[in-house]
Amino acid sequence: MMRQLTLPDGLLVFSLNADETRFVHREVFGDRCYLQHGIELNDGDCVFDVGANIGLSSVFFHRERKGVHIYAIEPSPAAFECLKANIELHGVDARVFECGLSSESGTAEFTFYPANTVCSGFRVNLETDRGTTKTYMVNRGLSPQAADMFVGLLFKKTTFPCRLRTLSEIVDEERVTRIDLLKIDAERSEREILAGIRAEHWGLIRQVAIEVQDEVGGLDEVLSLLVEHGFQVATKQDPLLKGTAVFIVFATRQP
């Protein structure tokens, strides 16, 4: 259920889960997790927020610089309604899309965790996701026993079909001429999303910040693809996620 929440810095947002929203707020606003390793925004930039969830990253980009235009993409209906509410609340200049992105158009089953929406996705792995969440909680100071109890509550799921599009379809439809930052946080769908960028559109992209699950060579594959398309790359792992497969990749082009 969507409710208003005031965050520690005074920011008012619509939220589905208060603790989860505080966690994402710390990452996005406190740690500035998407603006590291040379990635920066300028006034008037164009941002693709893929896996926008409830819109905290879109609100952050909007507040970071003047005139930032955002394309916010989120497949979960519950998160999408919250995203729209936060876009409206903060006057964000954004186009919103209720869909997932992949290598081709179609539909796919989406797994939604109402109590843990940021782990929802098209390619969930319950055992791994539970382990990642437990490791995060233990790294924060919880005992393994307490972490097990909380994890048991977070992964009750529902599934439903969702529309899939490609990033290049949206670029064509919206007549996008540049993407100054492509942010992707899509729970193991990152490789499929990148595969949905046609060759002629890679040159539009100036910077990338992408969460990558380093499973079955995923990190190396993403890094190689970005280097192939002319980016310089760096990786970082949140200290609270040490011992998991979750990394953020930053990619920039030489001026």
Side-chain angles (χ1 to χ4, degrees):
M1 179 187 234
M2 185 168 63
R3 295 176 179 168
Q4 285 196 335
L5 174 69
T6 301
L7 291 161
D9 63 354
L11 182 71
L12 179 67
V13 297
F14 288 97
S15 167
L16 296 176
N17 304 301
D19 286 344
E20 179 182 48
T21 300
R22 293 186 188 102
F23 160 71
V24 176
H25 177 260
R26 176 190 67 81
E27 280 194 323
V28 175
F29 285 82
D31 299 342
R32 297 170 64 83
C33 63
Y34 298 121
L35 299 185
Q36 298 184 16
H37 290 281
I39 290 185
E40 58 186 15
L41 283 185
N42 299 310
D43 291 349
D45 273 356
C46 173
V47 177
F48 268 60
D49 186 357
V50 181
N53 193 251
I54 67 168
L56 289 187
S57 47
S58 289
V59 172
F60 171 76
F61 297 136
H62 163 74
R63 289 161 63 96
E64 180 69 13
R65 292 290 183 181
K66 296 178 182 178
V68 172
H69 183 63
I70 298 166
Y71 295 88
I73 299 158
E74 172 56 43
S76 159
F80 182 77
E81 289 305 311
C82 203
L83 165 67
K84 287 198 301 181
N86 282 320
I87 292 291
E88 182 177 350
L89 176 65
H90 291 280
V92 179
D93 178 12
R95 292 271 290 141
V96 293
F97 300 83
E98 187 178 358
C99 65
L101 295 187
S102 191
S103 57
E104 58 185 24
S105 300
T107 59
E109 184 174 81
F110 186 83
T111 298
F112 182 63
Y113 300 116
N116 193 18
T117 67
V118 295
C119 285
S120 305
F122 294 100
R123 300 175 62 84
V124 300
N125 182 317
L126 181 58
E127 182 178 352
T128 300
D129 291 340
R130 286 171 60 99
T132 296
T133 302
K134 178 180 177 179
T135 298
Y136 168 80
M137 290 180 171
V138 170
N139 287 344
R140 286 194 65 184
L142 248 61
S143 70
Q145 295 78 14
D148 276 332
M149 181 183 70
F150 280 113
V151 165
L153 301 173
L154 292 176
F155 285 94
K156 295 176 181 178
K157 69 178 183 178
T158 181
T159 61
F160 41 81
C162 277
R163 182 186 183 190
L164 291 176
R165 305 185 69 187
T166 71
L167 191 145
S168 279
E169 280 181 50
I170 294 176
V171 168
D172 285 340
E173 181 180 286
E174 298 292 318
R175 299 180 181 179
V176 175
T177 58
R178 72 179 199 277
I179 301 173
D180 297 292
L181 175 60
L182 171 60
K183 168 259 171 182
I184 301 174
D185 185 349
E187 304 304 310
R188 296 187 186 84
S189 290
E190 55 271 8
R191 285 180 279 181
E192 288 83 0
I193 291 168
L194 295 175
I197 303 173
R198 298 201 306 270
E200 67 267 27
H201 289 155
W202 274 101
L204 305 180
I205 303 169
R206 183 168 64 89
Q207 302 175 116
V208 181
I210 176 171
E211 184 184 272
V212 176
Q213 301 273 346
D214 188 22
E215 301 165 0
V216 203
L219 182 60
D220 286 343
E221 184 177 326
V222 169
L223 292 173
S224 296
L225 179 65
L226 292 169
V227 169
E228 176 186 330
H229 285 286
F231 291 93
Q232 292 185 316
V233 296
T235 63
K236 181 178 179 179
Q237 185 174 53
D238 186 328
L240 292 175
L241 290 170
K242 184 178 180 181
T244 77
V246 181
F247 294 83
I248 296 184
V249 171
F250 304 92
T252 56
R253 293 189 187 276
Q254 286 278 39

